[in-house]
Amino acid sequence: MDETHGSGDRLAPVLRPVRAGNGFEEALEQILQVVRLGLVPDGGRLPAERDLAERLRISRVTLREVLKVLQDQGIVESRRGRYGGTFVRARPEPAAGDEDELRRRIGAVDVEDTLRFREVLEVGAAGLCAAHGLDGGRAARLRAALDATRDAPPADYRRLDTMLHLTLAELAGSPSLAAQYAAVRATVNDLLDCIPLLVRNLEHSQAQHAALVEAVLDGDADGAREVMREHCEGTAALLRGFLP
């Protein structure tokens, strides 16, 4: 799956021009975020080298160095031929309830800071979208992202849930907010991957998603902020309950 430019480009919140002094490091960080967020799913193809280099504003030489590192780490693989390119490799997921892996991951981040920052960004994005309104095309994007989460199989749910939240962050109209949200969501996903998917929680989450989208499209900024706050608090409570 190759990505293209445009208002519906799911990679837009993550891929952006890097600073000259840290081109290699920042490009590596952004492509890793694309993979961690599932914006290109396992087996999917990253954008062509020319497109990636243009988005990141780096040379093709630097980009190839980044892709070589990712390939050496088993994160992507390069294929030649007519249908070639750089493809995301499936990574082994930690077993749900793997306390050792969860302990390792929470040791690498400030969990409370991450959860609070996520709430600030998400609540703000929801309020902005509702207050400023979404035109026909942007409203359709939000509805499509919500529809994709309905009846999603468990293996795909977290990726599609992430896409819904990223879409809302991008539609808020602040590239800085969208970029910060993508980074914090990648960290949250690393933690969520270590706990089980609970059917009751997913049903509740879906009800909140529907209420959130309705509030945003109705222009109800206070309602959208409140639903999003409750949604973030629910995720935080779930994580805290599983923290060793």
Side-chain angles (χ1 to χ4, degrees):
M1 179 181 71
D2 206 349
E3 302 294 341
T4 58
H5 290 287
S7 60
D9 177 10
R10 67 182 61 184
L11 304 187
V14 178
L15 296 181
R16 57 199 182 279
V18 302
R19 291 169 293 185
N22 295 312
F24 171 84
E25 291 82 4
E26 291 187 16
L28 181 64
E29 176 189 21
Q30 290 185 37
I31 296 175
L32 279 170
Q33 281 186 11
V34 166
V35 175
R36 291 167 67 198
L37 289 166
L39 301 186
V40 176
D42 293 345
R45 184 171 60 188
L46 291 173
E49 283 188 7
R50 177 180 295 178
D51 186 20
L52 270 178
E54 288 178 354
R55 290 175 184 238
L56 297 168
R57 303 282 175 83
I58 57 176
S59 69
R60 298 277 287 275
V61 172
T62 299
L63 176 61
R64 285 168 184 159
E65 291 174 349
V66 169
L67 296 178
K68 178 64 165 56
V69 169
L70 296 176
Q71 187 168 334
D72 290 345
Q73 295 299 311
I75 296 170
V76 302
E77 62 180 345
S78 178
R79 302 177 192 168
R80 297 185 180 278
R82 182 178 179 183
Y83 300 104
T86 302
F87 294 80
V88 176
R89 296 186 62 183
R91 61 173 181 164
E93 293 292 341
D98 184 342
E99 289 196 5
D100 289 339
E101 179 61 17
L102 181 57
R103 189 176 290 108
R104 185 189 70 77
R105 293 189 182 189
I106 64 176
V109 298
D110 184 329
V111 175
E112 289 301 323
D113 178 69
T114 297
L115 294 175
R116 288 171 184 161
F117 188 42
R118 180 221 176 173
E119 181 178 333
V120 168
L121 294 174
E122 294 244 41
V123 170
L128 284 170
C129 285
H132 293 290
L134 300 180
D135 60 23
R138 295 189 300 161
R141 280 187 60 199
L142 186 59
R143 288 194 189 95
L146 174 64
D147 289 343
T149 63
R150 292 195 177 104
D151 300 320
D156 291 335
Y157 183 82
R158 193 154 286 151
R159 178 175 65 85
L160 296 172
D161 171 68
T162 297
M163 284 304 310
L164 172 60
H165 286 265
L166 277 172
T167 297
L168 188 69
E170 185 184 0
L171 292 175
S174 168
S176 295
L177 186 155
Q180 290 293 319
Y181 178 68
V184 77
R185 179 67 192 225
T187 300
V188 170
N189 279 6
D190 278 348
L191 300 176
L192 289 172
D193 284 344
C194 293
I195 69 174
L197 282 170
L198 307 176
V199 173
R200 179 66 184 88
N201 171 250
L202 297 188
E203 291 173 347
H204 184 219
S205 180
Q206 277 302 97
Q208 289 177 327
H209 285 160
L212 171 66
V213 170
E214 181 179 0
V216 168
L217 297 181
D218 285 346
D220 181 2
D222 289 340
R225 284 191 288 263
E226 184 57 30
V227 173
M228 183 61 90
R229 184 176 291 107
E230 290 181 359
H231 186 60
C232 291
E233 288 173 352
T235 301
L238 196 65
L239 276 172
R240 292 187 187 109
F242 279 97
L243 294 181

